Amino acid sequence: MRNFDEITITDAVIDRLSGASDRRAAEVSAALVRHLHAFVREVRPTIEEWERGIAFLTDTGKMCTNTRQEFVLLSDTLGVSMLVDAINHGAAQGVTESTVLGPFYVEGPPEKGSGENISGGLVGDPLIVTGTVNAPDGTPIRGAVVDVWHSDGDGYYDVQQFEETGGLAMRARFSTDGDGKFSFWSIRPAAYPIPHDGPVGAMLEKQGRHPWRPAHIHFMISAPGYRKLVTHVFAEGDKYLDTDVVFGVKDSLVREFIEMPAGQAPDGLIQNSPFFHLHYDFGLHLS
Ligand code: BEZ
Ligand code: FE
């Protein structure tokens, strides 16, 4: 077969997949060719535009390191990560909704006991976070592993400012008690822009978009017999809730970080100055 034109080239490429031994690989490849060709037929790029597209993908790859995944950032900012999340995690009664993982998770965070302060000595508005982890029917889960991580009051994670923090901070691993409860002290996080000094930042600029995410705290929760939950809790009232650059906000994940006067905190500690309190009850899906 030869002499393909704008239309016949698509089936010619798909026909060439008939020898694939892996059915899923053939299915995914055929869909990729079909949609990619349709995209090119719609856009009708000039040769220079095609070269710019190749250069963009090349730069995106070159930006990737062990600690920077520009392709995931591209997926996040084009809404693909949340689309994959929606396909794989439908809403279910008693189960907390999920959202993107993001690039700032660190494997094996420091293990802390209930009520410990994880701020690493960073200055900010004191915040106590209390929560529970439950089965879909509301039964508390004992021994659930709760990983948390968040930014500081200027919007920076520890991994972006090791000179200041001197190591990991504002991240930890907790284990729920017999009532499914956990709690910790830290500082109130702020909204922040995603890393936008690379090709994805340039893309956002061209698209007339800002790079900001509303203030949030990340949670990754697992327990035997349940699906791992990857989610955040967002700060009610944040000005970026409706324009999150990665489309990750769901109403069910928004909570007030309640400002409390000096006095007794929910864990019984006496605070000499005002502080904030966030509470969330998480529900895990049976596996
Ligand atoms: C984050 O919340 O840490 C995040 C998520 C997606 C892209 C960039 C950052
Ligand atoms: Fe984040």
Side-chain angles (χ1 to χ4, degrees), residues 104 149 157 192 213 216 218 232:
F104 299 119
W149 66 106
Y157 284 82
Y192 64 85
R213 300 213 67 209
H216 57 271
H218 293 257
H232 325 336

Side-chain angles (χ1 to χ4, degrees), residues 13 73 83 95 101 134 137 149 176 229 243 252 258 263 266 278-279:
V13 179
L73 215 51
L83 174 57
V95 175
L101 174 66
N134 308 285
D137 67 359
W149 66 106
T176 53
L229 171 68
T243 61
S252 68
I258 302 167
L278 169 69
H279 181 84

Side-chain angles (χ1 to χ4, degrees), residues 4-12 37 41:
F4 304 111
D5 64 19
E6 235 185 69
I7 302 300
T8 59
I9 183 85
T10 302
D11 279 343
H37 285 210
R41 272 190 289 268

Side-chain angles (χ1 to χ4, degrees), residues 110-145:
E111 291 185 20
K112 302 276 182 179
S114 185
E116 277 197 66
N117 192 313
I118 67 166
S119 65
L122 289 176
V123 176
D125 296 332
L127 166 72
I128 181 169
V129 178
T130 56
T132 64
V133 180
N134 308 285
D137 67 359
T139 308
I141 302 174
R142 173 203 288 269
V145 175

